[in-house]
Amino acid sequence: MNPYYYVLSVNGLLFVFSLIFYFFPPKKINHLYGYRTPKSMKNDDIWQYANTFFTKQFLIYSAISLVASLVLASINPSITWQPMAILLLSIGVAVLKTEQSINKTFDDEGNRLK
């Protein structure tokens, strides 16, 4: 398989999803679409904050993932698992940063910290 097709189908698709989340964020708490963790779904304030923060992080890290994978494919055309590892790492970093930000901004009951 052409390494560029592989990168575009894996990391490119992640970037497209990040654009969809960015331009069409979820309006209400739901179980189908958006950044859904138990803490982010506690109340509407956390839901809006978490989804806004996550979509920005997701967009940044998916773009970095796409560019890094394209550079890797141009350096080494026999790539196999590396683009998928970069994809998982970028999603993991976006989720961790979002959870850290939620914990710094809200208490365990879902109230904003002062």
Side-chain angles (χ1 to χ4, degrees):
M1 175 184 253
N2 185 329
Y4 293 107
Y5 292 155
Y6 177 55
V7 167
L8 291 176
S9 68
V10 173
N11 301 82
L13 191 59
L14 182 74
F15 184 67
V16 169
F17 282 140
S18 71
L19 289 173
I20 291 169
F21 282 138
Y22 186 77
F23 288 112
F24 303 103
K27 304 286 187 242
K28 300 177 191 171
I29 297 174
N30 65 76
H31 294 282
L32 296 175
Y33 182 69
Y35 182 77
R36 302 172 322 266
T37 61
K39 189 154 189 176
S40 71
M41 296 174 76
K42 272 192 175 179
N43 63 41
D44 194 56
D45 191 23
I46 298 176
W47 176 260
Q48 297 301 328
Y49 177 84
N51 276 282
T52 301
F53 189 88
F54 178 74
T55 54
K56 290 176 186 172
Q57 296 300 309
F58 190 38
L59 186 63
I60 291 167
Y61 288 108
S62 66
I64 292 170
S65 168
L66 179 60
V67 170
S69 296
L70 286 171
V71 168
L72 184 64
S74 68
I75 294 171
N76 181 12
S78 63
I79 58 172
T80 54
W81 54 270
Q82 295 89 346
M84 188 62 71
I86 293 170
L87 173 136
L88 293 173
L89 183 64
S90 65
I91 291 173
V93 169
V95 168
L96 285 175
K97 286 180 140 298
T98 302
E99 286 299 313
Q100 288 174 344
S101 183
I102 290 171
N103 290 331
K104 287 180 185 175
T105 309
F106 297 95
D107 62 15
D108 291 334
E109 287 78 41
N111 303 314
R112 279 191 182 263
L113 297 173
K114 307 245 176 192

